[in-house]
Amino acid sequence: MKKRILSTAFVALGALMSSFASEAAVLTGTTIGSDLNEAAKCFDGNASTYFRGYYSYNNYYVRNWAGLDLGQPHVISRIGLRAAAQMSKSARLAVVQGANSSDFTDAVTIQIFKEAPSEREMTYLDVETSRGFRYVRVVASGTQGCFAEIEFEGEPGEGDSSKFFQITNLPTVTFNTPGQAEIKSKDDKHPGSYVAIVSDDGTKILEDTSAQMKGRGNGSWTFPKKPFQIKFNKKQQPLDAPAKAKKWTLINNYGDRTLMRNKVAFEISREVGMAYTPYCTFVDVVYNGSYEGAYQLCDQVEVSSGRVEMTEMSPEDVAGEALSGGYFIEIDAYADQEISWFTSAKGTPVTIKSPADDDIVGAQSAYIRDYFNRMEAALYSVDFTDEEKGYRKYLDLESFLRYFIVCELDGNQDSFWSVYMWKDRGDEKFRIGPVWDIDLGFQNCGTPYPVNSMTDYLYTHKEASKANGMEQFVSRIVKEDAGARGQLSEMWSQLRHNGNLNDEYFDRLIDSCASVLDESQTLNFVRWPILNQSVQKNQKVYGSYAGEVGNLKSYLQGRFPKLDEWMDLHDVAAIGSVMADGDNTAVEEYFDLQGRRVDVSNMSPGFYIRRLGAQTEKILVR
C-alpha cells in the first residue's frame, strides 16, 4: 500500500512540475500585428477583450494577424489560441507562422487550427517544426479572426531544418510576397518572394528566398480563390517532377468541386499517348499567411526539356532552316489580349507562345503566320485529303486524333476554345498538344447539359466554346475525311482493347484521388463553402464532396459507350505485324488508310489494309 501511495505522489509531483515548466515556457515579447491596438488584446490575459480584425464581403484579400517579436530566435513547441465569445468560427483555419524577417517574407507555416478553437478556454496544438524563429504570429484565413488570447511556448535557439509542418498528407506550399503585398492581377509580378514546399511528412523542404510570384489564368483569375505562377530564381524539380524548370503553376480548381478534373484528364492524355502531358500533383497552399485551400502544382506549359521539347529560337534565327522553328502557338479565343498574336486568313485567332514576346522578331512572326495560313488553305482545298497537296503535309494527323479523343472523352466544352500546337525546326508538320484547363469537363458545365444526351460529338454543339472557325476545322478532318475517320476508329479500338481506357480503371483512379484529397478537400470547403452553390457554369449542385465525385464517375461510365458508337469500336484482336515469320507470298496488296497502294518493302510503322485474295483486314506494322 505504501509503495502505491508513493508512486501516486510521484505522478502528482511530475504533473505539477510539468505545469510549472509549461507556464515558464510561455514566451513574451513585443506585440506586432496588422493592427497593433487590436493585437495587444491577444496578450493582455483578459479573455473578455479580443482582436477584431477588418473584414469585407467584397475584398477577399484580408490578412488579420497578431503575434510577437521574441527578440531572438526560439524553437516553438506549442501554440495556444482562445476565440472570442460567440466568434469561434471566425478563428477556424487560423494559420500559425514563424519568421526571421520582420515583414514575414520568410514566414514558414508551423500549424493550423483545423477545428474552431474553444471560446471558454485555450486550445493548444503542439508544434514540431525544428527551426527557430524570432517573429511568430497567428493569421486569420479569410475572416475577421476574432482572437481573445494567444500563447506561444518554446525555448531560445536557432534550431535546424530537419522537420517542418504539413497541413495534411499533401505537400504544403507556402509563399509570401515582400511586405505581404496582394497579387492584384495575372500580370502583377512580385520578385523577391519567398516560396517553401514541404513534403515527405515534413522531412523535406524546397525553399527559394528570391522567387517571383504572379497571377495567371483568364476566367480562373476572376474567382476569389486565385491561381498563381511561381518563377524560381533557378531551375528546380519540385516534388520529383519530371521537368527541371523555373516556372510552375498553382491551379486553383475553384469551380471544380471534385478538385481533380485536370488530374483525371491528364491521366486520360497519358493513356491516349499524347506526346506530352503536363505534370501535376495535389498540394495545400498558404498565401501571405492565409490558408487558401487545395490546389494542383503543375508544369508551366512552355518550351523546355521535359515539357514541349523542340528547338528554342533566338532573335538571330531569321533565314534558312533556322527560321523554320521551333514555334509554340495556341489557337486562342483570348488571343487579342496577348502581345504576340495574329489572325489567320480564315479568321482564326492565334497566340505565339514561343519565341517569347520579348524575343520574337518580325521575320519569325511573319513566317509562322504564313505557315499557319498554308496549313489552313490546304485543309480547305479540294485536294485536302491528298498526302502531298492536302493538310497532312502541314498537320500531324495522329497527334490531332489523339487530342480529339481526349477532348471528347473528358467532355471539355472549351477544348477548341484553346488548342496548343508546335512546329519544330526542319519539321513540316504542326503537332497538337498538350491538353490543358479541363475544369469545365466531365459534366461540370450547364451548356450543353447533359453531354451524354447528345447525338453527336460535343464540339459540334452550338453552346460548346470554340475559337473562330474551329468547328469547321475539326469537322473537315473527323467528318469529311474518310481516311481520318478510319484512323480514328482504329486508334480508339486499339486504346479500348489494349490499355486502361475503360470506366473501371478510371473509377479506381477517381477513388484513389478522392482518398488522397480527403482531408484537404474538407478544409478547402471550409475555406470556400461552395458545395451547395453553383459557381462558374455549373448546371447541377450535388451538395457534398462524395456527390460531386459520383457525378464525375457516372459521366465517364456513360461516355465510353457513346464514343464506342461514334468512333466505331471494333475487334482488333487479330491485328499483328505483317513482317511475322512465315510465307507471305500469298499477299497481294497493301493499302494505307486513305486507300492508296503502298510498297511492302518500304512500309513505315502504322496501320494498313491488307488484301489477301478476296479477304481484307486491317494490320499494324511495328
Side-chain angles (χ1 to χ4, degrees), residues 36 77 180 212 224 247 344 399 441 453 552:
L36 284 178
S77 58
Q180 296 189 112
Q212 175 183 280
K247 292 181 180 179
S344 74
S399 67
S453 69
L552 172 56

Side-chain angles (χ1 to χ4, degrees), residues 119-255:
E119 305 167 10
R120 296 180 296 277
E121 58 186 5
M122 296 290 282
T123 297
Y124 290 99
L125 298 176
D126 290 333
V127 175
E128 297 182 353
T129 301
S130 61
R131 181 176 292 175
F133 305 103
R134 173 177 172 174
Y135 304 95
V136 287
R137 68 176 181 177
V138 178
V139 189
S141 292
T143 68
Q144 284 181 284
C146 297
F147 312 139
E149 291 296 310
I150 298 174
E151 287 182 7
F152 296 97
E153 298 177 12
E155 299 293 335
E158 299 285 344
D160 58 38
S161 296
S162 62
K163 180 68 173 176
F164 291 90
F165 173 70
Q166 281 180 226
I167 293 174
T168 69
N169 56 297
L170 305 182
T172 295
V173 178
T174 296
F175 69 88
N176 312 302
T177 59
Q180 296 189 112
E182 179 184 2
I183 300 174
K184 294 184 176 180
S185 75
K186 67 177 186 175
D187 299 314
D188 184 16
K189 299 176 181 179
H190 292 257
S193 295
Y194 170 82
V195 176
I197 302 177
V198 176
S199 60
D200 293 63
D201 195 28
T203 62
K204 187 174 181 180
I205 185 169
L206 169 62
E207 292 180 279
D208 191 332
T209 60
S210 55
Q212 175 183 280
M213 295 300 304
K214 65 181 285 292
R216 63 163 309 281
N218 290 303
S220 59
W221 181 257
T222 64
F223 299 131
K225 180 186 179 186
K226 301 297 184 184
F228 303 101
Q229 182 198 85
I230 302 170
K231 184 179 180 182
F232 289 110
N233 183 48
K234 63 180 181 180
K235 291 183 178 181
Q236 302 283 2
Q237 201 168 2
L239 304 175
D240 299 321
K244 188 173 185 179
K246 288 186 176 182
K247 292 181 180 179
W248 300 84
T249 62
L250 288 169
I251 306 300
N252 54 342
N253 291 329
Y254 181 75

Side-chain angles (χ1 to χ4, degrees), residues 460-498:
T460 65
H461 196 281
K462 65 180 181 180
E463 297 295 338
S465 302
K466 291 153 280 196
N468 187 51
M470 283 308 293
E471 182 173 344
Q472 297 90 334
F473 186 109
V474 178
S475 289
R476 190 73 165 157
I477 298 172
V478 301
K479 288 183 175 290
E480 299 176 35
D481 182 350
R485 290 202 309 274
Q487 191 168 337
L488 176 64
S489 172
E490 203 62 53
M491 185 180 290
W492 176 253
S493 299
Q494 281 287 336
L495 290 166
R496 289 285 277 138
H497 288 298
N498 298 316

Side-chain angles (χ1 to χ4, degrees), residues 52 144 299 314:
R52 183 190 294 272
Q144 284 181 284
D299 280 347
S314 70

Side-chain angles (χ1 to χ4, degrees), residues 375 378-379 381 383-395:
M375 183 264 291
L379 179 64
S381 69
D383 299 317
F384 78 106
T385 62
D386 187 272
E387 192 75 35
E388 297 301 322
K389 298 178 183 179
Y391 72 93
R392 286 175 176 78
K393 179 179 180 180
Y394 301 101
L395 179 65

Side-chain angles (χ1 to χ4, degrees), residues 592-604:
D592 64 19
L593 294 181
Q594 285 73 52
R596 296 174 299 226
R597 186 178 289 106
V598 296
D599 181 359
V600 166
S601 65
N602 190 31
M603 296 171 72
S604 300

Side-chain angles (χ1 to χ4, degrees), residues 395-404 432 473-474 477-478:
L395 179 65
D396 179 65
L397 178 58
E398 181 179 323
S399 67
F400 176 87
L401 295 177
R402 292 187 191 279
Y403 178 83
F404 180 76
I432 308 296
F473 186 109
V474 178
I477 298 172
V478 301

